[in-house]
PDB file of all heavy atoms in Angstrom:
ATOM      1  N   SER L   1     -48.559  62.868   7.684  1.00  0.00           N
ATOM      2  CA  SER L   1     -48.432  63.052   9.129  1.00  0.00           C
ATOM      3  C   SER L   1     -49.246  62.059   9.943  1.00  0.00           C
ATOM      4  O   SER L   1     -49.016  61.920  11.141  1.00  0.00           O
ATOM      5  CB  SER L   1     -48.816  64.478   9.518  1.00  0.00           C
ATOM      6  OG  SER L   1     -50.149  64.748   9.128  1.00  0.00           O
ATOM      7  N   SER L   2     -50.194  61.360   9.316  1.00  0.00           N
ATOM      8  CA  SER L   2     -50.958  60.323  10.009  1.00  0.00           C
ATOM      9  C   SER L   2     -50.632  58.919   9.504  1.00  0.00           C
ATOM     10  O   SER L   2     -51.359  57.965   9.795  1.00  0.00           O
ATOM     11  CB  SER L   2     -52.461  60.577   9.854  1.00  0.00           C
ATOM     12  OG  SER L   2     -52.829  61.780  10.470  1.00  0.00           O
ATOM     13  N   SER L   3     -49.553  58.809   8.754  1.00  0.00           N
ATOM     14  CA  SER L   3     -49.142  57.524   8.193  1.00  0.00           C
ATOM     15  C   SER L   3     -47.886  57.030   8.885  1.00  0.00           C
ATOM     16  O   SER L   3     -47.002  57.821   9.209  1.00  0.00           O
ATOM     17  CB  SER L   3     -48.853  57.659   6.692  1.00  0.00           C
ATOM     18  OG  SER L   3     -49.990  58.081   5.978  1.00  0.00           O
ATOM     19  N   ALA L   4     -47.795  55.712   9.083  1.00  0.00           N
ATOM     20  CA  ALA L   4     -46.508  55.147   9.431  1.00  0.00           C
ATOM     21  C   ALA L   4     -45.625  55.205   8.192  1.00  0.00           C
ATOM     22  O   ALA L   4     -46.099  55.081   7.066  1.00  0.00           O
ATOM     23  CB  ALA L   4     -46.657  53.716   9.904  1.00  0.00           C
ATOM     24  N   MET L   5     -44.340  55.410   8.415  1.00  0.00           N
ATOM     25  CA  MET L   5     -43.379  55.457   7.326  1.00  0.00           C
ATOM     26  C   MET L   5     -42.367  54.345   7.533  1.00  0.00           C
ATOM     27  O   MET L   5     -42.058  53.955   8.660  1.00  0.00           O
ATOM     28  CB  MET L   5     -42.658  56.797   7.296  1.00  0.00           C
ATOM     29  CG  MET L   5     -43.570  58.001   7.179  1.00  0.00           C
ATOM     30  SD  MET L   5     -44.395  58.128   5.589  1.00  0.00           S
ATOM     31  CE  MET L   5     -43.012  58.533   4.518  1.00  0.00           C
ATOM     32  N   GLY L   6     -41.849  53.843   6.426  1.00  0.00           N
ATOM     33  CA  GLY L   6     -40.886  52.757   6.534  1.00  0.00           C
ATOM     34  C   GLY L   6     -39.797  52.845   5.492  1.00  0.00           C
ATOM     35  O   GLY L   6     -39.931  53.564   4.488  1.00  0.00           O
ATOM     36  N   TRP L   7     -38.723  52.143   5.763  1.00  0.00           N
ATOM     37  CA  TRP L   7     -37.636  51.959   4.808  1.00  0.00           C
ATOM     38  C   TRP L   7     -37.497  50.470   4.525  1.00  0.00           C
ATOM     39  O   TRP L   7     -37.512  49.651   5.447  1.00  0.00           O
ATOM     40  CB  TRP L   7     -36.316  52.497   5.347  1.00  0.00           C
ATOM     41  CG  TRP L   7     -36.230  53.988   5.378  1.00  0.00           C
ATOM     42  CD1 TRP L   7     -36.500  54.810   6.440  1.00  0.00           C
ATOM     43  CD2 TRP L   7     -35.839  54.848   4.302  1.00  0.00           C
ATOM     44  NE1 TRP L   7     -36.316  56.119   6.081  1.00  0.00           N
ATOM     45  CE2 TRP L   7     -35.896  56.172   4.781  1.00  0.00           C
ATOM     46  CE3 TRP L   7     -35.432  54.635   2.982  1.00  0.00           C
ATOM     47  CZ2 TRP L   7     -35.574  57.265   3.981  1.00  0.00           C
ATOM     48  CZ3 TRP L   7     -35.111  55.719   2.195  1.00  0.00           C
ATOM     49  CH2 TRP L   7     -35.183  57.024   2.699  1.00  0.00           C
ATOM     50  N   PHE L   8     -37.354  50.161   3.266  1.00  0.00           N
ATOM     51  CA  PHE L   8     -37.130  48.790   2.810  1.00  0.00           C
ATOM     52  C   PHE L   8     -35.906  48.795   1.904  1.00  0.00           C
ATOM     53  O   PHE L   8     -35.475  49.855   1.436  1.00  0.00           O
ATOM     54  CB  PHE L   8     -38.350  48.270   2.046  1.00  0.00           C
ATOM     55  CG  PHE L   8     -39.567  48.082   2.905  1.00  0.00           C
ATOM     56  CD1 PHE L   8     -40.339  49.161   3.321  1.00  0.00           C
ATOM     57  CD2 PHE L   8     -39.946  46.815   3.326  1.00  0.00           C
ATOM     58  CE1 PHE L   8     -41.450  48.996   4.127  1.00  0.00           C
ATOM     59  CE2 PHE L   8     -41.064  46.632   4.136  1.00  0.00           C
ATOM     60  CZ  PHE L   8     -41.810  47.723   4.533  1.00  0.00           C
ATOM     61  N   ARG L   9     -35.351  47.635   1.659  1.00  0.00           N
ATOM     62  CA  ARG L   9     -34.212  47.566   0.752  1.00  0.00           C
ATOM     63  C   ARG L   9     -34.257  46.288  -0.066  1.00  0.00           C
ATOM     64  O   ARG L   9     -34.841  45.285   0.359  1.00  0.00           O
ATOM     65  CB  ARG L   9     -32.889  47.660   1.516  1.00  0.00           C
ATOM     66  CG  ARG L   9     -32.587  46.494   2.444  1.00  0.00           C
ATOM     67  CD  ARG L   9     -31.327  46.784   3.254  1.00  0.00           C
ATOM     68  NE  ARG L   9     -30.964  45.677   4.137  1.00  0.00           N
ATOM     69  CZ  ARG L   9     -29.975  45.721   5.020  1.00  0.00           C
ATOM     70  NH1 ARG L   9     -29.232  46.830   5.148  1.00  0.00           N
ATOM     71  NH2 ARG L   9     -29.709  44.681   5.785  1.00  0.00           N
ATOM     72  N   GLN L  10     -33.634  46.365  -1.236  1.00  0.00           N
ATOM     73  CA  GLN L  10     -33.580  45.207  -2.120  1.00  0.00           C
ATOM     74  C   GLN L  10     -32.193  45.098  -2.711  1.00  0.00           C
ATOM     75  O   GLN L  10     -31.742  45.992  -3.433  1.00  0.00           O
ATOM     76  CB  GLN L  10     -34.618  45.319  -3.233  1.00  0.00           C
ATOM     77  CG  GLN L  10     -34.724  44.077  -4.097  1.00  0.00           C
ATOM     78  CD  GLN L  10     -35.949  44.100  -4.993  1.00  0.00           C
ATOM     79  OE1 GLN L  10     -36.556  45.146  -5.237  1.00  0.00           O
ATOM     80  NE2 GLN L  10     -36.340  42.929  -5.483  1.00  0.00           N
ATOM     81  N   ALA L  11     -31.534  44.002  -2.375  1.00  0.00           N
ATOM     82  CA  ALA L  11     -30.219  43.712  -2.926  1.00  0.00           C
ATOM     83  C   ALA L  11     -30.376  42.909  -4.212  1.00  0.00           C
ATOM     84  O   ALA L  11     -31.409  42.268  -4.425  1.00  0.00           O
ATOM     85  CB  ALA L  11     -29.393  42.929  -1.909  1.00  0.00           C
ATOM     86  N   PRO L  12     -29.379  42.922  -5.078  1.00  0.00           N
ATOM     87  CA  PRO L  12     -29.471  42.171  -6.332  1.00  0.00           C
ATOM     88  C   PRO L  12     -29.774  40.702  -6.090  1.00  0.00           C
ATOM     89  O   PRO L  12     -29.136  40.051  -5.243  1.00  0.00           O
ATOM     90  CB  PRO L  12     -28.079  42.352  -6.946  1.00  0.00           C
ATOM     91  CG  PRO L  12     -27.590  43.634  -6.385  1.00  0.00           C
ATOM     92  CD  PRO L  12     -28.127  43.694  -4.992  1.00  0.00           C
ATOM     93  N   GLY L  13     -30.773  40.192  -6.781  1.00  0.00           N
ATOM     94  CA  GLY L  13     -31.124  38.787  -6.668  1.00  0.00           C
ATOM     95  C   GLY L  13     -31.910  38.422  -5.431  1.00  0.00           C
ATOM     96  O   GLY L  13     -32.171  37.235  -5.180  1.00  0.00           O
ATOM     97  N   LYS L  14     -32.278  39.430  -4.634  1.00  0.00           N
ATOM     98  CA  LYS L  14     -33.023  39.150  -3.406  1.00  0.00           C
ATOM     99  C   LYS L  14     -34.352  39.885  -3.414  1.00  0.00           C
ATOM    100  O   LYS L  14     -34.555  40.849  -4.152  1.00  0.00           O
ATOM    101  CB  LYS L  14     -32.193  39.575  -2.186  1.00  0.00           C
ATOM    102  CG  LYS L  14     -30.928  38.767  -1.995  1.00  0.00           C
ATOM    103  CD  LYS L  14     -30.254  39.108  -0.683  1.00  0.00           C
ATOM    104  CE  LYS L  14     -29.032  38.249  -0.441  1.00  0.00           C
ATOM    105  NZ  LYS L  14     -28.376  38.555   0.858  1.00  0.00           N
ATOM    106  N   GLU L  15     -35.251  39.444  -2.566  1.00  0.00           N
ATOM    107  CA  GLU L  15     -36.534  40.104  -2.435  1.00  0.00           C
ATOM    108  C   GLU L  15     -36.387  41.383  -1.608  1.00  0.00           C
ATOM    109  O   GLU L  15     -35.453  41.514  -0.808  1.00  0.00           O
ATOM    110  CB  GLU L  15     -37.547  39.164  -1.765  1.00  0.00           C
ATOM    111  CG  GLU L  15     -37.916  37.960  -2.611  1.00  0.00           C
ATOM    112  CD  GLU L  15     -39.023  37.139  -1.970  1.00  0.00           C
ATOM    113  OE1 GLU L  15     -39.399  37.435  -0.827  1.00  0.00           O
ATOM    114  OE2 GLU L  15     -39.502  36.204  -2.628  1.00  0.00           O
ATOM    115  N   ARG L  16     -37.324  42.293  -1.800  1.00  0.00           N
ATOM    116  CA  ARG L  16     -37.336  43.513  -1.000  1.00  0.00           C
ATOM    117  C   ARG L  16     -37.615  43.154   0.446  1.00  0.00           C
ATOM    118  O   ARG L  16     -38.542  42.385   0.735  1.00  0.00           O
ATOM    119  CB  ARG L  16     -38.394  44.470  -1.538  1.00  0.00           C
ATOM    120  CG  ARG L  16     -38.344  45.853  -0.934  1.00  0.00           C
ATOM    121  CD  ARG L  16     -39.343  46.778  -1.609  1.00  0.00           C
ATOM    122  NE  ARG L  16     -39.095  46.904  -3.034  1.00  0.00           N
ATOM    123  CZ  ARG L  16     -39.746  47.752  -3.817  1.00  0.00           C
ATOM    124  NH1 ARG L  16     -40.669  48.551  -3.309  1.00  0.00           N
ATOM    125  NH2 ARG L  16     -39.478  47.809  -5.116  1.00  0.00           N
ATOM    126  N   GLY L  17     -36.818  43.700   1.360  1.00  0.00           N
ATOM    127  CA  GLY L  17     -36.967  43.372   2.767  1.00  0.00           C
ATOM    128  C   GLY L  17     -37.106  44.599   3.644  1.00  0.00           C
ATOM    129  O   GLY L  17     -36.657  45.692   3.303  1.00  0.00           O
ATOM    130  N   PHE L  18     -37.706  44.397   4.781  1.00  0.00           N
ATOM    131  CA  PHE L  18     -37.963  45.454   5.759  1.00  0.00           C
ATOM    132  C   PHE L  18     -36.670  45.906   6.420  1.00  0.00           C
ATOM    133  O   PHE L  18     -35.809  45.087   6.752  1.00  0.00           O
ATOM    134  CB  PHE L  18     -38.936  44.928   6.814  1.00  0.00           C
ATOM    135  CG  PHE L  18     -39.057  45.803   8.029  1.00  0.00           C
ATOM    136  CD1 PHE L  18     -39.809  46.954   7.999  1.00  0.00           C
ATOM    137  CD2 PHE L  18     -38.409  45.458   9.202  1.00  0.00           C
ATOM    138  CE1 PHE L  18     -39.912  47.767   9.115  1.00  0.00           C
ATOM    139  CE2 PHE L  18     -38.506  46.251  10.334  1.00  0.00           C
ATOM    140  CZ  PHE L  18     -39.256  47.410  10.284  1.00  0.00           C
ATOM    141  N   VAL L  19     -36.553  47.217   6.627  1.00  0.00           N
ATOM    142  CA  VAL L  19     -35.393  47.772   7.324  1.00  0.00           C
ATOM    143  C   VAL L  19     -35.814  48.444   8.632  1.00  0.00           C
ATOM    144  O   VAL L  19     -35.303  48.133   9.702  1.00  0.00           O
ATOM    145  CB  VAL L  19     -34.645  48.783   6.432  1.00  0.00           C
ATOM    146  CG1 VAL L  19     -33.505  49.440   7.207  1.00  0.00           C
ATOM    147  CG2 VAL L  19     -34.118  48.109   5.171  1.00  0.00           C
ATOM    148  N   ALA L  20     -36.749  49.387   8.528  1.00  0.00           N
ATOM    149  CA  ALA L  20     -37.138  50.148   9.715  1.00  0.00           C
ATOM    150  C   ALA L  20     -38.486  50.800   9.477  1.00  0.00           C
ATOM    151  O   ALA L  20     -38.872  51.050   8.337  1.00  0.00           O
ATOM    152  CB  ALA L  20     -36.102  51.219  10.036  1.00  0.00           C
ATOM    153  N   THR L  21     -39.193  51.091  10.568  1.00  0.00           N
ATOM    154  CA  THR L  21     -40.467  51.782  10.478  1.00  0.00           C
ATOM    155  C   THR L  21     -40.612  52.739  11.647  1.00  0.00           C
ATOM    156  O   THR L  21     -40.005  52.530  12.712  1.00  0.00           O
ATOM    157  CB  THR L  21     -41.642  50.795  10.443  1.00  0.00           C
ATOM    158  OG1 THR L  21     -42.873  51.524  10.309  1.00  0.00           O
ATOM    159  CG2 THR L  21     -41.712  49.955  11.707  1.00  0.00           C
ATOM    160  N   ILE L  22     -41.400  53.788  11.437  1.00  0.00           N
ATOM    161  CA  ILE L  22     -41.649  54.778  12.484  1.00  0.00           C
ATOM    162  C   ILE L  22     -43.122  55.142  12.469  1.00  0.00           C
ATOM    163  O   ILE L  22     -43.734  55.265  11.407  1.00  0.00           O
ATOM    164  CB  ILE L  22     -40.752  56.020  12.266  1.00  0.00           C
ATOM    165  CG1 ILE L  22     -40.870  56.993  13.437  1.00  0.00           C
ATOM    166  CG2 ILE L  22     -41.038  56.700  10.934  1.00  0.00           C
ATOM    167  CD1 ILE L  22     -39.788  58.073  13.441  1.00  0.00           C
ATOM    168  N   SER L  23     -43.690  55.283  13.660  1.00  0.00           N
ATOM    169  CA  SER L  23     -45.097  55.648  13.784  1.00  0.00           C
ATOM    170  C   SER L  23     -45.307  57.100  13.378  1.00  0.00           C
ATOM    171  O   SER L  23     -44.351  57.881  13.282  1.00  0.00           O
ATOM    172  CB  SER L  23     -45.555  55.450  15.227  1.00  0.00           C
ATOM    173  OG  SER L  23     -44.815  56.302  16.091  1.00  0.00           O
ATOM    174  N   TRP L  24     -46.576  57.461  13.172  1.00  0.00           N
ATOM    175  CA  TRP L  24     -46.784  58.822  12.684  1.00  0.00           C
ATOM    176  C   TRP L  24     -46.480  59.874  13.740  1.00  0.00           C
ATOM    177  O   TRP L  24     -46.164  61.009  13.422  1.00  0.00           O
ATOM    178  CB  TRP L  24     -48.148  59.006  12.047  1.00  0.00           C
ATOM    179  CG  TRP L  24     -49.421  58.821  12.833  1.00  0.00           C
ATOM    180  CD1 TRP L  24     -50.265  57.737  12.763  1.00  0.00           C
ATOM    181  CD2 TRP L  24     -50.067  59.741  13.724  1.00  0.00           C
ATOM    182  NE1 TRP L  24     -51.362  57.927  13.555  1.00  0.00           N
ATOM    183  CE2 TRP L  24     -51.272  59.151  14.156  1.00  0.00           C
ATOM    184  CE3 TRP L  24     -49.751  61.020  14.193  1.00  0.00           C
ATOM    185  CZ2 TRP L  24     -52.144  59.785  15.042  1.00  0.00           C
ATOM    186  CZ3 TRP L  24     -50.623  61.651  15.069  1.00  0.00           C
ATOM    187  CH2 TRP L  24     -51.797  61.028  15.486  1.00  0.00           C
ATOM    188  N   SER L  25     -46.528  59.501  15.002  1.00  0.00           N
ATOM    189  CA  SER L  25     -46.132  60.440  16.052  1.00  0.00           C
ATOM    190  C   SER L  25     -44.614  60.566  16.153  1.00  0.00           C
ATOM    191  O   SER L  25     -44.101  61.522  16.750  1.00  0.00           O
ATOM    192  CB  SER L  25     -46.673  59.985  17.400  1.00  0.00           C
ATOM    193  OG  SER L  25     -46.010  58.802  17.817  1.00  0.00           O
ATOM    194  N   GLY L  26     -43.908  59.574  15.609  1.00  0.00           N
ATOM    195  CA  GLY L  26     -42.460  59.529  15.761  1.00  0.00           C
ATOM    196  C   GLY L  26     -42.019  58.895  17.055  1.00  0.00           C
ATOM    197  O   GLY L  26     -40.830  58.685  17.280  1.00  0.00           O
ATOM    198  N   GLY L  27     -42.977  58.527  17.903  1.00  0.00           N
ATOM    199  CA  GLY L  27     -42.628  58.013  19.215  1.00  0.00           C
ATOM    200  C   GLY L  27     -42.311  56.536  19.260  1.00  0.00           C
ATOM    201  O   GLY L  27     -41.781  56.040  20.250  1.00  0.00           O
ATOM    202  N   SER L  28     -42.660  55.819  18.202  1.00  0.00           N
ATOM    203  CA  SER L  28     -42.389  54.383  18.147  1.00  0.00           C
ATOM    204  C   SER L  28     -41.598  54.046  16.896  1.00  0.00           C
ATOM    205  O   SER L  28     -41.896  54.572  15.813  1.00  0.00           O
ATOM    206  CB  SER L  28     -43.693  53.586  18.132  1.00  0.00           C
ATOM    207  OG  SER L  28     -44.436  53.793  19.307  1.00  0.00           O
ATOM    208  N   THR L  29     -40.603  53.201  17.069  1.00  0.00           N
ATOM    209  CA  THR L  29     -39.798  52.742  15.943  1.00  0.00           C
ATOM    210  C   THR L  29     -39.548  51.244  16.088  1.00  0.00           C
ATOM    211  O   THR L  29     -39.656  50.678  17.191  1.00  0.00           O
ATOM    212  CB  THR L  29     -38.440  53.456  15.871  1.00  0.00           C
ATOM    213  OG1 THR L  29     -37.730  53.252  17.110  1.00  0.00           O
ATOM    214  CG2 THR L  29     -38.613  54.950  15.648  1.00  0.00           C
ATOM    215  N   TYR L  30     -39.200  50.629  14.965  1.00  0.00           N
ATOM    216  CA  TYR L  30     -38.893  49.199  14.977  1.00  0.00           C
ATOM    217  C   TYR L  30     -37.919  48.934  13.844  1.00  0.00           C
ATOM    218  O   TYR L  30     -38.038  49.517  12.767  1.00  0.00           O
ATOM    219  CB  TYR L  30     -40.170  48.370  14.795  1.00  0.00           C
ATOM    220  CG  TYR L  30     -39.953  46.892  14.925  1.00  0.00           C
ATOM    221  CD1 TYR L  30     -39.782  46.305  16.175  1.00  0.00           C
ATOM    222  CD2 TYR L  30     -39.909  46.061  13.801  1.00  0.00           C
ATOM    223  CE1 TYR L  30     -39.575  44.944  16.297  1.00  0.00           C
ATOM    224  CE2 TYR L  30     -39.703  44.701  13.917  1.00  0.00           C
ATOM    225  CZ  TYR L  30     -39.538  44.140  15.163  1.00  0.00           C
ATOM    226  OH  TYR L  30     -39.325  42.799  15.292  1.00  0.00           O
ATOM    227  N   TYR L  31     -36.948  48.032  14.121  1.00  0.00           N
ATOM    228  CA  TYR L  31     -35.881  47.786  13.153  1.00  0.00           C
ATOM    229  C   TYR L  31     -35.727  46.295  12.875  1.00  0.00           C
ATOM    230  O   TYR L  31     -35.970  45.449  13.748  1.00  0.00           O
ATOM    231  CB  TYR L  31     -34.548  48.311  13.701  1.00  0.00           C
ATOM    232  CG  TYR L  31     -34.539  49.793  13.956  1.00  0.00           C
ATOM    233  CD1 TYR L  31     -34.907  50.308  15.193  1.00  0.00           C
ATOM    234  CD2 TYR L  31     -34.144  50.685  12.961  1.00  0.00           C
ATOM    235  CE1 TYR L  31     -34.907  51.678  15.427  1.00  0.00           C
ATOM    236  CE2 TYR L  31     -34.139  52.059  13.189  1.00  0.00           C
ATOM    237  CZ  TYR L  31     -34.524  52.536  14.427  1.00  0.00           C
ATOM    238  OH  TYR L  31     -34.512  53.892  14.650  1.00  0.00           O
ATOM    239  N   ALA L  32     -35.258  46.004  11.701  1.00  0.00           N
ATOM    240  CA  ALA L  32     -34.825  44.652  11.394  1.00  0.00           C
ATOM    241  C   ALA L  32     -33.604  44.331  12.257  1.00  0.00           C
ATOM    242  O   ALA L  32     -32.792  45.218  12.552  1.00  0.00           O
ATOM    243  CB  ALA L  32     -34.473  44.526   9.914  1.00  0.00           C
ATOM    244  N   ASP L  33     -33.470  43.092  12.657  1.00  0.00           N
ATOM    245  CA  ASP L  33     -32.355  42.700  13.513  1.00  0.00           C
ATOM    246  C   ASP L  33     -31.006  43.034  12.870  1.00  0.00           C
ATOM    247  O   ASP L  33     -30.046  43.383  13.572  1.00  0.00           O
ATOM    248  CB  ASP L  33     -32.420  41.203  13.808  1.00  0.00           C
ATOM    249  CG  ASP L  33     -33.519  40.847  14.784  1.00  0.00           C
ATOM    250  OD1 ASP L  33     -34.034  41.757  15.467  1.00  0.00           O
ATOM    251  OD2 ASP L  33     -33.860  39.648  14.872  1.00  0.00           O
ATOM    252  N   SER L  34     -30.949  42.947  11.560  1.00  0.00           N
ATOM    253  CA  SER L  34     -29.682  43.150  10.858  1.00  0.00           C
ATOM    254  C   SER L  34     -29.169  44.586  10.925  1.00  0.00           C
ATOM    255  O   SER L  34     -27.987  44.828  10.679  1.00  0.00           O
ATOM    256  CB  SER L  34     -29.819  42.718   9.397  1.00  0.00           C
ATOM    257  OG  SER L  34     -30.841  43.466   8.755  1.00  0.00           O
ATOM    258  N   VAL L  35     -30.053  45.532  11.258  1.00  0.00           N
ATOM    259  CA  VAL L  35     -29.626  46.938  11.287  1.00  0.00           C
ATOM    260  C   VAL L  35     -29.761  47.557  12.669  1.00  0.00           C
ATOM    261  O   VAL L  35     -29.348  48.703  12.876  1.00  0.00           O
ATOM    262  CB  VAL L  35     -30.413  47.778  10.259  1.00  0.00           C
ATOM    263  CG1 VAL L  35     -30.313  47.163   8.874  1.00  0.00           C
ATOM    264  CG2 VAL L  35     -31.858  47.971  10.680  1.00  0.00           C
ATOM    265  N   LYS L  36     -30.329  46.828  13.597  1.00  0.00           N
ATOM    266  CA  LYS L  36     -30.576  47.364  14.933  1.00  0.00           C
ATOM    267  C   LYS L  36     -29.264  47.803  15.577  1.00  0.00           C
ATOM    268  O   LYS L  36     -28.267  47.091  15.547  1.00  0.00           O
ATOM    269  CB  LYS L  36     -31.253  46.293  15.787  1.00  0.00           C
ATOM    270  CG  LYS L  36     -32.000  46.805  16.990  1.00  0.00           C
ATOM    271  CD  LYS L  36     -32.783  45.666  17.649  1.00  0.00           C
ATOM    272  CE  LYS L  36     -33.868  45.128  16.747  1.00  0.00           C
ATOM    273  NZ  LYS L  36     -34.653  44.048  17.388  1.00  0.00           N
ATOM    274  N   GLY L  37     -29.275  49.005  16.137  1.00  0.00           N
ATOM    275  CA  GLY L  37     -28.083  49.536  16.773  1.00  0.00           C
ATOM    276  C   GLY L  37     -27.165  50.291  15.827  1.00  0.00           C
ATOM    277  O   GLY L  37     -26.246  50.983  16.267  1.00  0.00           O
ATOM    278  N   ARG L  38     -27.410  50.167  14.524  1.00  0.00           N
ATOM    279  CA  ARG L  38     -26.591  50.865  13.524  1.00  0.00           C
ATOM    280  C   ARG L  38     -27.391  51.910  12.751  1.00  0.00           C
ATOM    281  O   ARG L  38     -26.851  52.942  12.368  1.00  0.00           O
ATOM    282  CB  ARG L  38     -26.007  49.867  12.526  1.00  0.00           C
ATOM    283  CG  ARG L  38     -25.103  48.815  13.158  1.00  0.00           C
ATOM    284  CD  ARG L  38     -24.407  47.968  12.092  1.00  0.00           C
ATOM    285  NE  ARG L  38     -25.349  47.226  11.260  1.00  0.00           N
ATOM    286  CZ  ARG L  38     -25.424  47.341   9.941  1.00  0.00           C
ATOM    287  NH1 ARG L  38     -24.624  48.170   9.285  1.00  0.00           N
ATOM    288  NH2 ARG L  38     -26.310  46.623   9.238  1.00  0.00           N
ATOM    289  N   PHE L  39     -28.669  51.640  12.518  1.00  0.00           N
ATOM    290  CA  PHE L  39     -29.527  52.539  11.741  1.00  0.00           C
ATOM    291  C   PHE L  39     -30.518  53.229  12.676  1.00  0.00           C
ATOM    292  O   PHE L  39     -30.971  52.635  13.668  1.00  0.00           O
ATOM    293  CB  PHE L  39     -30.308  51.775  10.686  1.00  0.00           C
ATOM    294  CG  PHE L  39     -29.491  51.231   9.537  1.00  0.00           C
ATOM    295  CD1 PHE L  39     -28.103  51.209   9.564  1.00  0.00           C
ATOM    296  CD2 PHE L  39     -30.130  50.732   8.412  1.00  0.00           C
ATOM    297  CE1 PHE L  39     -27.364  50.703   8.507  1.00  0.00           C
ATOM    298  CE2 PHE L  39     -29.418  50.223   7.342  1.00  0.00           C
ATOM    299  CZ  PHE L  39     -28.028  50.204   7.394  1.00  0.00           C
ATOM    300  N   THR L  40     -30.880  54.458  12.330  1.00  0.00           N
ATOM    301  CA  THR L  40     -31.881  55.202  13.083  1.00  0.00           C
ATOM    302  C   THR L  40     -32.856  55.853  12.113  1.00  0.00           C
ATOM    303  O   THR L  40     -32.442  56.592  11.219  1.00  0.00           O
ATOM    304  CB  THR L  40     -31.238  56.281  13.954  1.00  0.00           C
ATOM    305  OG1 THR L  40     -30.296  55.675  14.853  1.00  0.00           O
ATOM    306  CG2 THR L  40     -32.296  57.013  14.771  1.00  0.00           C
ATOM    307  N   ILE L  41     -34.137  55.574  12.313  1.00  0.00           N
ATOM    308  CA  ILE L  41     -35.172  56.195  11.503  1.00  0.00           C
ATOM    309  C   ILE L  41     -35.754  57.375  12.279  1.00  0.00           C
ATOM    310  O   ILE L  41     -35.915  57.313  13.501  1.00  0.00           O
ATOM    311  CB  ILE L  41     -36.274  55.176  11.125  1.00  0.00           C
ATOM    312  CG1 ILE L  41     -37.250  55.770  10.112  1.00  0.00           C
ATOM    313  CG2 ILE L  41     -36.987  54.638  12.357  1.00  0.00           C
ATOM    314  CD1 ILE L  41     -38.229  54.750   9.541  1.00  0.00           C
TER     315      ILE L  41
END
């Protein structure tokens, strides 16, 4: 409850990359450009 949480992804042959993160309050979020507007954390 006091940690930021995040989602990352790794496609075959690629490095693990950032997808989305949310603050521990839930009031702040941030997304990778590739998923912005399509994904919700």
Side-chain angles (χ1 to χ4, degrees):
S1 59
S2 296
S3 299
M5 303 292 290
W7 287 95
F8 292 77
R9 66 186 182 186
Q10 186 168 18
K14 294 188 177 181
E15 293 186 353
R16 190 175 301 187
F18 168 78
V19 175
T21 182
I22 187 167
S23 62
W24 62 256
S25 69
S28 298
T29 57
Y30 185 76
Y31 299 91
D33 287 344
S34 59
V35 306
K36 201 172 295 181
R38 299 188 298 122
F39 290 12
T40 302
I41 188 171

